Amino acid sequence: MAADPKAQKVVVVGAGPVGSLAALYAAQRGHDVEIYELRSDLRDPSTTPLNFTKSINLALSERGINAMRNAGDPTLLDHVMAATIPMRGRMIHGRRPNGDFFEQPQDYDIHGRTIYAVDRGELNKRLLDILERMPNVTFHFNHKLSGADFRKCRAWFEVQGKENPATATGRAKEIEVGFDLMIGADGAHSAVRYHMMKYVRMDYHQEYIDTLWCEFQIQPNEDVPSEQPMSRFRISPNHLHIWPGKEFMFIAIPSDDGSFTCTLFAPSLVFERLEVTPEQIPAFFDHHFPGVTSLIDPPELISQFRQNPHLPLISVKCKPYHYGSSAVILGDAAHAMVPFYGQGMNAGLEDVRILFGILDKYKRGDEGEASSASGLAADRRKCALAEYSAVRVADAHAINDLALQNYVEMRASVLSPLYRLRKFLEEA
Ligand code: FAD
């Protein structure tokens, strides 16, 4: 196949869900795509998952699905959706004044439309599978971005781990890479963003909220054979389960083996207390999250709390998202948000669709003109990236704010009679 004179070299930093989808969009447009990822290949069983947790189950919604639908690969969506479970609403768990437990379903949509539970690692792997088939994509795992010059379009990566027998000086081996466009999808602590700040007057705000999270597992019903995963769930598989605790919250999201991945969200002080007195964890759960100790045995609850990491939640806002014609940041790198609106990854995937929609619009004006080397392509890309920042910043900041507000909704408002009345009137 003859090389396309308009093909650009696109370097994607970060092979998480957003970087992988961005690489696919770029590859579909015929660009030479190089993906650089700090960690080893997720599909290698010895790779330590992100955040050192076994998995994170996410809520995938139309915003993210639509971005994958428009990726130009008709197999992608089926491949990803095959590993999802539809969730038609929330299931609120609580205790009545007489002490009985209750479950109250709250559908998301009167027409029965759903969001979907998906394992983030599984979704990521499926995106990598699709990318692997593309001749114009190369992977560079164990490569950490260590520097970038966005005027000269050069970047430096440290080669990590086994692939880098330490040099005689003891310093990690570094390689230099050129590019036309760098897409930074390297997460909340983005190195691309950090280096971009030296070139652009970027406004930047980060905030750690005073809430930590810890993951738990509800195991499948072992009495049911594993060949029937949908019968192994111990609570409804088609709901996002919430135990609202006013100041804290416990949630459970189904996995396709019949288990649930659960998350405790609570103020750091509560974590500190439970770390000192772990024997009080079952009583804490019985008081605030009724019914959970019948799904996770108390000794198991204590052990999971002690073994699994207690992780912070960061919210990042910045602007603009680009520099000139050579760099743009997407996903958590641009707008990490607290997870309570279930939109962090979805919004990141949407970034990709919007960015390439704008690049395509400017490229159309480029038809029949000279190749990217003339500078014309770079000029058009510069306008496209500026438009991307202009349209995306306000939307991303809004989702960021909504995510923070939804914490109050999920952990407390869902229980209030006023909330239920408002919902009833909306649906009447
Ligand atoms: P990441 O997933 O962080 O990937 C970044 C990648 O870049 C990583 O692979 C990393 O190794 C790599 N990298 C980092 N630094 C470098 C470097 N210097 N050089 C090279 N590579 C580098 N979102 C939802 O949409 N729905 C949900 O229900 C939801 N629930 C969540 C629950 C929790 C508890 C948490 C913590 C988050 C949740 N999110 C949810 C948010 C979601 O996980 C993130 O928004 C999403 O993972 C962001 O994807 P990303 O590709 O932008 O970044």
Side-chain angles (χ1 to χ4, degrees), residues 114-398:
T114 67
I115 57 174
Y116 296 85
V118 66
D119 177 338
R120 178 172 62 176
E122 201 51 48
L123 181 145
N124 207 159
K125 285 179 194 165
R126 286 166 192 244
L127 280 164
L128 296 178
D129 288 344
I130 303 266
L131 282 169
E132 190 132 66
R133 295 192 220 132
M134 308 203 65
N136 50 339
V137 175
T138 55
F139 289 112
H140 304 265
F141 292 106
N142 299 308
H143 282 68
K144 176 185 179 185
L145 181 81
S146 53
D149 183 330
F150 293 115
R151 281 195 200 99
K152 294 188 178 141
C153 292
R154 314 294 301 169
W156 294 270
F157 291 88
E158 270 178 20
V159 188
Q160 308 273 299
K162 280 184 289 201
E163 292 180 29
N164 182 21
T167 58
T169 60
R171 290 189 53 209
K173 189 176 96 188
E174 222 173 44
I175 58 163
E176 185 175 328
V177 173
F179 56 87
D180 293 304
L181 174 64
M182 175 178 283
I183 297 181
D186 51 344
H189 303 285
S190 169
V192 178
R193 184 183 67 220
Y194 171 78
H195 292 294
M196 235 170 83
M197 284 176 176
K198 300 172 200 162
Y199 293 83
V200 62
R201 294 191 308 274
M202 183 185 280
D203 291 336
Y204 177 76
H205 175 83
Q206 78 170 45
E207 183 185 347
Y208 282 100
I209 62 166
D210 183 33
T211 295
L212 299 178
W213 63 281
C214 174
E215 192 179 288
F216 293 82
Q217 292 285 322
I218 297 175
Q219 295 303 332
N221 182 349
E222 297 298 343
D223 299 336
V224 179
S226 56
E227 298 76 50
Q228 302 164 22
M230 290 309 283
S231 309
R232 301 184 90 208
F233 290 103
R234 298 175 62 194
I235 44 179
S236 161
N238 298 116
H239 288 91
L240 193 162
H241 295 265
I242 305 180
W243 283 260
K246 301 242 168 59
E247 291 309 312
F248 358 86
M249 173 170 81
F250 190 73
I251 66 168
I253 298 185
S255 302
D256 60 4
D257 63 351
S259 67
F260 284 84
T261 301
C262 313
T263 316
L264 167 67
F265 295 99
S268 53
L269 197 63
V270 171
F271 269 83
E272 274 167 34
R273 278 203 208 119
L274 294 177
E275 280 160 13
V276 178
T277 53
E279 68 285 359
Q280 289 182 8
I281 292 171
F284 171 83
F285 269 73
D286 282 340
H287 184 68
H288 297 288
F289 312 127
V292 171
T293 52
S294 62
L295 299 168
I296 309 175
D297 286 343
E300 192 48 33
L301 203 59
I302 296 174
S303 137
Q304 293 188 21
F305 180 82
R306 296 180 81 169
Q307 274 169 27
N308 292 339
H310 303 163
L311 296 163
L313 290 171
I314 192 170
S315 176
V316 168
K317 280 184 181 172
C318 65
K319 70 168 186 188
Y321 293 149
H322 75 290
Y323 169 72
S325 63
S326 62
V328 62
I329 48 174
L330 305 180
D332 277 17
H335 48 65
M337 63 191 75
V338 296
F340 308 116
Y341 210 53
Q343 285 300 332
M345 179 189 70
N346 286 297
L349 299 177
E350 185 180 57
D351 290 349
V352 177
R353 180 179 68 75
I354 291 178
L355 171 68
F356 280 89
I358 295 174
L359 285 166
D360 287 349
K361 188 175 80 180
Y362 280 85
K363 187 169 172 265
R364 278 195 287 277
D366 211 8
E367 300 300 335
E369 304 274 6
S371 79
S372 60
S374 70
L376 188 67
D379 284 348
R380 290 191 190 281
R381 199 166 56 244
K382 185 174 173 179
C383 296
L385 297 187
E387 183 172 325
Y388 173 74
S389 278
V391 301
R392 198 59 183 153
V393 164
D395 288 350
H397 286 193

Side-chain angles (χ1 to χ4, degrees), residues 92-103 243-244 282-293 415:
I92 307 302
H93 295 254
R95 187 187 279 110
R96 291 186 211 291
N98 67 4
D100 292 348
F101 298 160
F102 71 83
E103 283 188 339
W243 283 260
F284 171 83
F285 269 73
D286 282 340
H287 184 68
H288 297 288
F289 312 127
V292 171
T293 52
L415 279 177

